[in-house]
């Protein structure tokens, strides 16, 4: 394993299809009209560019998220909160047994800047990697334009709660029209009756109305924060474009409709469970799994994270469990 420290992005001039080729350590990335091609010293891999860009968009926007972001069963990243592993075949039994897997560790700024530059260069006009496939144009073809406003859009991260003065604002028709699939969601907002003198300290908002106006999918945003407790609701449609490998327990509360989760062993990919969550269902996803969700209709999901930085180490040293409760 090597650690690279510079933050300079290494890219070529545009290729025949108009896209730059990027190099990060021993990995190279090239796109053509339909595919992303990745090479590393012991192998190579091809992904459909639509899935690659959707996964890349989330890895960038989430700043490598909690734990592992698998773009598919071969390629992905592991967040060490300061540095990031980029791997090929590392969490794939067959690649491991054939000794074809490869991992390199990078300072977060270097991989972040490289991924941001690749996402911007490879995203064409009209394609929005965060949008439902039903609400965006296709990413394919030779390079035509760009979509920088979409790939750099603001990520909601409330410091206290949406609607608190000075914090993330609630959404309105002017900024966020109601999504086509949530036309029936009530837009009533709660009435606030604060004790005199406390008017500036009491806030409330309708989370359903807020989520009905989300223009992105599979993108948990922080709507409230109390110490390490983060409420990260999200609206889902079609398939989560990454397979997330947890490094801590996550709670899911299905706020509407239905999501089917494919749950596998985090390190080998062996199937562990299929979880069907219907509106009102609550589940705790263990800290040693990876999972991918399928949402046949646009749905609302509340992801509840414990963002405490000590958790991965507590789990590694056996001081915390990968389950929230032992029965
Ligand atoms: C997850 O990995 O837990 C996750 C990621 C994105 C979502 C929902 C859940 O939209
Ligand atoms: Fe997860």
């Amino acid at each position: 394993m090597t650690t690279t420290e510079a933050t300079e992005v290494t890219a070529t001039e545009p290729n025949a299809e108009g896209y730059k080729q990027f190099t990060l350590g021993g990995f190279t990335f090239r796109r053509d009209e339909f595919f992303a091609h990745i090479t590393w010293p012991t192998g190579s891999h091809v992904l459909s560019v639509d899935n690659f860009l959707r996964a890349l968009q989330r890895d960038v926007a989430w700043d490598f998220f909690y734990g592992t972001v698998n773009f598919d069963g071969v390629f992905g990243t592991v967040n060490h909160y300061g540095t990031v592993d980029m791997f090929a075949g590392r969490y794939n039994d067959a690649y491991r047994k054939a000794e074809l897997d490869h991992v390199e560790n990078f300072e977060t700024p270097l991989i972040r800047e490289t991924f941001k530059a690749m996402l911007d260069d490879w995203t064409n006009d009209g394609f929005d990697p965060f949008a439902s496939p039903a609400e965006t144009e296709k990413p394919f073809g030779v390079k035509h334009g760009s979509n920088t406003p979409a790939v750099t859009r603001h990520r909601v991260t409330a410091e206290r709660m949406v609607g608190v003065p000075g914090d993330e604002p609630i959404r309105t028709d002017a900024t966020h029209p109601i999504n086509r699939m949530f036309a029936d969601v009530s837009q009533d907002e709660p009435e606030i009756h604060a004790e005199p003198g406390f008017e500036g300290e009491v806030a409330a908002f309708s989370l359903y109305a807020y989520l009905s106006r989300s223009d992105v999918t599979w993108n948990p945003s922080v709507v409230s924060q109390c110490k390490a407790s983060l409420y990260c609701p999200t609206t889902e449609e079609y398939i989560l474009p990454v397979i997330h490998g947890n490094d801590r327990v996550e709670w899911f509360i299905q706020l509407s409709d239905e999501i089917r989760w494919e749950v596998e062993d985090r390190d080998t990919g062996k199937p562990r469970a299929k979880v069907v969550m219907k509106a009102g269902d609550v589940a705790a996803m263990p800290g040693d799994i990876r999972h991918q969700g399928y949402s046949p209709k646009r749905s609302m999901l509340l992801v509840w994270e414990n963002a405490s930085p000590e958790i991965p180490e507590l789990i590694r040293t056996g001081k915390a469990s990968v389950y929230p409760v032992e029965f």
Side-chain angles (χ1 to χ4, degrees):
M1 214 190 263
T2 56
T3 299
T4 313
E5 272 170 23
T7 58
E8 215 168 285
V9 175
T10 307
T12 63
E13 291 303 305
N15 61 12
E17 291 87 2
Y19 302 103
K20 290 179 187 165
Q21 177 174 317
F22 293 84
T23 302
L24 186 54
F27 289 85
T28 69
F29 299 86
R30 173 174 71 82
R31 98 151 263 191
D32 59 23
E33 290 193 45
F34 290 106
F35 300 109
H37 302 262
I38 308 175
T39 69
W40 60 92
T42 51
S44 66
H45 191 53
V46 181
L47 295 88
S48 180
V49 81
D50 60 338
N51 194 73
F52 181 81
L53 291 173
R54 289 187 175 110
L56 186 64
Q57 170 72 82
R58 286 161 179 81
D59 220 7
V60 166
W62 302 343
D63 209 26
F64 305 101
F65 211 34
Y66 302 101
T68 309
V69 171
N70 298 282
F71 285 42
D72 66 0
V74 175
F75 178 80
T77 58
V78 182
N79 196 355
H80 297 294
Y81 311 97
T83 69
V84 175
D85 288 346
M86 188 158 70
F87 65 82
R90 174 65 185 80
Y91 303 100
N92 178 307
D93 245 8
Y95 276 79
R96 291 282 285 164
K97 286 190 179 126
E99 298 184 3
L100 290 174
D101 60 303
H102 185 72
V103 185
E104 289 181 46
N105 181 261
F106 301 97
E107 297 290 325
T108 302
L110 176 61
I111 181 169
R112 182 196 290 131
E113 291 312 309
T114 304
F115 276 17
K116 277 164 73 176
M118 182 157 52
L119 175 65
D120 194 49
D121 187 68
W122 289 13
T123 300
N124 286 316
D125 183 27
F127 179 63
D128 180 350
F130 262 135
S132 159
E135 296 182 338
T136 178
E137 289 169 29
K138 294 184 170 59
F140 304 119
V142 297
K143 186 163 169 72
H144 53 95
S146 59
N147 199 358
T148 304
V151 301
T152 59
R153 62 155 67 72
H154 169 70
R155 180 171 184 226
V156 172
T157 49
E159 277 167 28
R160 292 173 66 201
M161 191 180 79
V162 165
V164 169
D167 212 327
E168 292 282 353
I170 61 168
R171 293 169 172 159
T172 64
D173 285 341
T175 58
H176 295 81
I178 299 167
N179 184 266
R180 76 196 198 289
M181 299 298 277
F182 291 139
D184 59 342
V185 172
S186 164
Q187 297 298 314
D188 293 348
E189 289 293 330
E191 289 176 20
I192 301 167
H193 301 270
E195 286 291 314
F198 293 89
E199 292 84 352
E201 295 180 34
V202 184
F205 74 109
S206 164
L207 181 59
Y208 280 93
Y210 186 81
L211 292 177
S212 73
R213 295 172 180 275
S214 168
D215 61 347
V216 293
T217 57
W218 304 105
N219 183 30
S221 47
V222 183
V223 301
S224 73
Q225 188 172 346
C226 182
K227 297 190 178 160
S229 170
L230 269 49
Y231 268 11
C232 309
T234 152
T235 52
E236 322 295 45
E237 191 170 296
Y238 190 52
I239 303 174
L240 173 57
V242 306
I243 310 166
H244 179 226
N246 285 1
D247 67 0
R248 65 197 67 213
V249 172
E250 298 176 298
W251 288 87
F252 287 170
I253 301 170
Q254 191 69 40
L255 297 179
S256 85
D257 302 277
E258 184 173 317
I259 297 178
R260 181 189 179 97
W261 288 93
E262 300 284 326
V263 184
E264 303 170 337
D265 180 82
R266 183 187 58 201
D267 298 330
T268 65
K270 285 202 182 72
R272 274 184 58 174
K274 293 180 193 292
V275 180
V276 179
M277 295 191 66
K278 297 177 193 271
D281 286 348
V282 178
M285 291 284 169
D288 60 353
I289 56 95
R290 66 196 195 197
H291 52 189
Q292 185 170 38
Y294 293 68
S295 186
K297 273 196 173 305
R298 202 179 191 87
S299 67
M300 298 180 182
L301 171 69
L302 176 59
V303 181
W304 182 26
E305 294 284 355
N306 183 337
S308 171
E310 291 94 57
I311 290 182
E313 183 61 17
L314 290 174
I315 289 178
R316 224 177 357 257
T317 54
K319 295 192 186 97
S321 168
V322 293
Y323 302 106
V325 53
E326 305 277 349
F327 294 105

